[in-house]
């Protein structure tokens, strides 16, 4: 399995993209310019959508889902890179097949990744009543991870300094828009549709418990030894060194992992190494204002 395309990936780092609004949500221009292809995507009833805000643990839940589908078989799960087995709906990268093209060639049941806020999800997913697995991560660790990702990912705008990025995140001037709206929108929808809502912090606390929730949602029954294998093979330590999930197979002109690793730390609470006391106070005050109309509760320490 490969990211097949007749085109060549870029040999030099491309210029950083601008953000362009689609229905008010800033998206990288390579996506905004192809928006119609995403909007008109035709879902099938047995498609499963994996939904995250960027850097909330997408690759982790993708790996868990794939391992569950493989019944914990390590060899089978190594049949291809995670972004080929579970393509990213809205990716349009020079030199690679697009997410939509890859998904359209896949046999059912198809598992599909998206970062879209709920209002931008193509309407066919709702018409077909598809199952959706949503994974959310506390805002401060999510922000820290997104900052480091901007530093190394040439398909996103420049990160700028930590303070500049913090301000852009709070003001929703980052790709895929406001973290706050993403979290609230999906949380509100969870009881109205076939949605399993998970938290990164719960997965860190007791992965086996959350893996069982996913298996049940997918109507899979896992033996005890399979659960143990899924826990092990989806652990941060194993995933960090697994080329099928650590994106080391992508050229450094796209992800320059000498700047920051894709599998960076995988922890809860790394925000404490980034925020000053004053930045933290201001962030919390603003968070309280933005989130007071929602019942969603995150943990940022374990
Ligand atoms: S992306 O580009 O949006 O798809 O990135 P995403 O996979 O959502 O986020 C990457 C962050 O998830 C961490 N990660 C993990 N944490 C714990 N356990 C496992 N197994 C795991 N796999 C990935 C990864 O390290 C990134 O977080 P940070 O905080 O930057 O380390």
């Amino acid at each position: 399995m490969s990211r097949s395309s007749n085109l060549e990936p870029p040999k030099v780092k491309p210029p950083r993209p601008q953000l362009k609004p689609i229905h008010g949500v800033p998206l990288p221009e390579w996506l905004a310019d192809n928006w119609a292809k995403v909007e008109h995507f035709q879902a099938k009833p047995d498609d499963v959508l994996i939904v995250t805000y960027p850097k909330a643990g997408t690759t982790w839940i993708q790996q868990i889902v794939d391992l569950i589908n493989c019944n914990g078989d390590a060899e089978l799960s190594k049949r291809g890179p995670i972004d080929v087995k579970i393509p990213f709906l809205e990716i349009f990268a020079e030199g690679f097949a697009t997410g939509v093209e890859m998904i359209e060639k896949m046999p059912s049941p198809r598992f599909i990744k998206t970062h879209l806020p709920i209002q931008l999800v193509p309407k066919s997913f709702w018409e077909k009543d598809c199952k959706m697995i949503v994974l959310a991560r506390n805002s401060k660790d999510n922000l820290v991870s997104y900052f480091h990702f901007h530093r190394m990912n040439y398909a996103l705008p420049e990160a700028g300094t930590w303070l500049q990025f913090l301000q852009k995140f709070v003001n929703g001037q980052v790709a895929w828009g406001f973290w706050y709206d993403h979290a609230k929108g999906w949380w509100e929808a969870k009881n109205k549709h076939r949605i399993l809502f998970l938290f990164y912090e719960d997965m860190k606390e007791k992965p086996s418990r959350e893996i069982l929730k996913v298996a049940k949602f997918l109507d899979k029954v896992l033996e005890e030894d399979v659960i143990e294998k899924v826990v092990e093979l989806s652990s941060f330590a194993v995933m960090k060194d697994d080329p099928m999930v650590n994106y080391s197979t992508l050229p450094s002109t796209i992800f320059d992992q000498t700047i920051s690793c894709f599998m960076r730390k995988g922890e809860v609470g790394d925000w404490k190494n980034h925020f000053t006391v004053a930045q933290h106070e201001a962030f919390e005050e603003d968070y309280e204002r933005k989130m007071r109309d929602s019942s969603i509760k995150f943990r940022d320490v374990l």
Side-chain angles (χ1 to χ4, degrees):
M1 285 178 113
S2 67
R3 306 176 182 98
S4 61
S5 159
N6 297 329
L7 304 163
E8 283 281 300
K11 292 211 166 37
V12 291
K13 286 173 178 167
R16 299 280 191 148
Q18 302 285 312
L19 298 180
K20 283 189 186 174
I22 291 288
H23 301 295
V25 177
L27 295 175
E29 58 190 333
W30 44 259
L31 168 55
D33 293 344
N34 285 290
W35 180 246
K37 293 179 191 134
V38 175
E39 193 171 25
H40 299 126
F41 176 79
Q42 287 307 305
K44 298 180 181 176
D46 55 358
D47 286 347
V48 179
L49 195 61
I50 296 178
V51 182
T52 53
Y53 189 80
K55 311 320 284 181
T58 327
T59 318
W60 190 11
I61 189 69
Q62 283 175 286
Q63 175 73 341
I64 287 173
V65 165
D66 189 58
L67 286 164
I68 290 173
N69 287 337
C70 295
N71 208 33
D73 183 330
E75 283 318 302
L76 187 55
S77 93
K78 289 193 192 310
R79 70 197 180 285
I82 196 71
D83 54 312
V84 176
K85 294 181 292 185
I86 304 184
F88 184 13
L89 174 65
E90 64 263 28
I91 191 76
F92 296 87
E94 190 193 326
F96 295 101
T98 70
V100 171
E101 283 164 356
M102 284 198 275
I103 298 162
E104 284 173 348
K105 286 187 189 146
M106 280 167 73
S108 290
R110 307 181 300 183
F111 290 79
I112 300 167
K113 155 184 164 179
T114 186
H115 290 321
L116 292 173
I118 192 156
Q119 72 277 18
L120 292 191
V121 168
K123 72 173 188 305
S124 65
F125 283 100
W126 306 112
E127 289 165 354
K128 299 284 162 38
D129 193 25
C130 296
K131 284 187 183 176
M132 300 178 184
I133 300 173
V134 181
L135 171 61
R137 184 178 193 180
N138 79 79
S139 56
K140 287 179 284 187
D141 287 331
N142 206 145
L143 153 60
V144 166
S145 183
Y146 210 10
F147 168 64
H148 290 292
F149 192 50
H150 276 71
R151 295 171 54 231
M152 61 80 98
N153 180 0
Y154 283 75
L156 289 176
E158 296 268 6
T161 63
W162 158 250
L163 180 58
Q164 285 167 337
F165 191 80
L166 169 59
Q167 285 163 344
K168 283 190 275 189
F169 182 92
V170 166
N171 295 324
Q173 292 160 355
V174 287
W176 286 274
F178 278 110
W179 174 95
Y180 315 86
D181 292 349
H182 199 282
K184 288 194 287 188
W186 283 105
W187 179 251
E188 227 158 79
K190 73 181 191 318
N191 297 328
K192 301 177 193 145
H193 301 278
R194 296 204 294 166
I195 293 175
L196 174 68
F197 199 106
L198 302 170
F199 291 95
Y200 181 99
E201 296 73 25
D202 291 345
M203 300 208 332
K204 283 295 289 187
E205 186 180 66
K206 199 166 191 326
S208 59
R209 178 188 63 209
E210 304 307 304
I211 288 166
L212 270 173
K213 284 185 197 167
V214 178
K216 192 163 172 240
F217 184 68
L218 298 176
D219 302 315
K220 304 265 186 208
V221 180
L222 302 183
E223 301 293 332
E224 200 56 48
D225 62 320
V226 173
I227 298 169
E228 277 168 31
K229 274 191 215 156
V230 176
V231 171
E232 163 69 8
L233 296 170
S234 64
S235 66
F236 182 77
V238 170
M239 285 181 62
K240 190 170 174 57
D241 293 332
D242 179 351
M244 291 298 115
V245 290
N246 67 14
Y247 285 94
S248 57
T249 57
L250 271 193
S252 61
T253 49
I254 302 175
F255 284 3
D256 186 346
Q257 301 212 36
T258 62
I259 298 175
S260 180
C261 284
F262 186 91
M263 295 289 166
R264 197 183 56 89
K265 279 197 177 172
E267 287 171 4
V268 178
D270 190 36
W271 62 267
K272 290 182 196 149
N273 300 314
H274 291 75
F275 284 73
T276 64
V277 172
Q279 285 167 359
H280 186 236
E281 271 175 23
F283 186 92
E284 288 286 295
E285 208 180 295
D286 175 73
Y287 184 95
E288 156 60 25
R289 246 193 326 273
K290 288 191 173 112
M291 298 299 282
R292 66 165 63 121
D293 58 344
S294 175
S295 62
I296 191 168
K297 292 280 172 278
F298 285 86
R299 290 179 295 162
D300 53 32
V301 280
L302 284 183

